[in-house]
Amino acid sequence: MHEDSAQTRYLDTSDAAACRVGFVPSTHLTAGSTNKAHQAIRLVKSTFRGEFKCLVTQVEAGIIIECPEATECAILNLCIVVEQRLERLKQEPLAAKMVEEILAVSSAELRRWSKDGRIPTSGRAYFSQGRKQVGLFLYSPEVIRGLSSRPDQIAQWRNQDR
């Protein structure tokens, strides 16, 4: 039943028979943001820990989760849930700080390029800071992924702005 699910989209389930699952956040998932990568790792950890008693080991760029008391079937079923949650995380709009990190641009550049439409915003998020409401621009992860794969575009915009 699960023979073909040894490698899911984000999780490495090739060792699920040994009650072990690996996870390394890909740039496809995180758009290149270390903040989003940390969010993804926390999401995977919390989902597994909420269901099973697990041992989580940090590896170079991700984690290995061992659930010795779980069955292979239970682990693979939970992996489906985790994959769905990671897919939702992938679709979440990016805050300006994440976009600055991903594109290696300054806040002034991002603000200028957003205002003139070169980097389209996909809405705003609001939070309270005391009695004051603060609004943040949000950006589509697909648009930012596309721009991050084209650093020549950023360089061209910088030359135009000189």
Side-chain angles (χ1 to χ4, degrees):
M1 176 176 148
H2 292 291
E3 294 88 21
D4 60 338
S5 63
Q7 178 67 46
T8 56
R9 186 172 185 131
Y10 302 115
L11 300 171
D12 179 3
T13 58
S14 60
D15 210 7
C19 302
R20 192 172 308 134
V21 175
F23 175 65
V24 175
S26 66
T27 54
H28 178 71
L29 171 66
T30 64
S33 167
T34 56
N35 187 313
K36 201 137 187 168
H38 292 302
Q39 282 180 313
I41 288 172
R42 283 192 309 270
L43 184 147
V44 172
K45 277 187 198 178
S46 67
T47 304
F48 272 91
R49 285 183 172 157
E51 193 72 25
F52 308 122
K53 288 186 179 179
C54 299
L55 174 65
V56 178
T57 307
Q58 288 289 136
V59 292
E60 187 173 329
I63 56 174
I64 301 218
I65 300 171
E66 295 180 71
C67 306
E69 297 174 12
T71 65
E72 178 182 7
C73 185
I75 289 173
L76 291 173
N77 286 335
L78 186 60
C79 286
I80 293 168
V81 172
V82 171
E83 291 279 332
Q84 291 168 346
R85 290 179 181 175
L86 288 171
E87 193 59 37
R88 283 194 299 273
L89 177 69
K90 175 186 165 194
Q91 300 304 322
E92 285 181 6
L94 301 169
K97 288 293 179 196
M98 284 186 195
V99 174
E100 292 166 16
E101 172 199 6
I102 294 165
L103 299 179
V105 300
S106 70
S107 57
E109 288 173 325
L110 181 60
R111 197 170 35 254
R112 180 172 51 250
W113 297 339
S114 296
K115 283 183 180 180
D116 67 18
R118 290 185 253 186
I119 300 179
T121 61
S122 66
R124 289 179 68 109
Y126 296 91
F127 65 93
S128 295
Q129 194 172 39
R131 293 183 177 183
K132 187 169 83 171
Q133 282 276 26
V134 178
L136 301 171
F137 284 113
L138 298 175
Y139 298 86
S140 164
E142 292 82 25
V143 170
I144 302 307
R145 268 189 220 90
L147 273 173
S148 71
S149 67
R150 295 179 24 235
D152 56 313
Q153 181 66 64
I154 303 292
Q156 181 183 355
W157 289 344
R158 284 183 174 137
N159 285 335
Q160 288 174 355
D161 291 346
R162 282 193 192 137

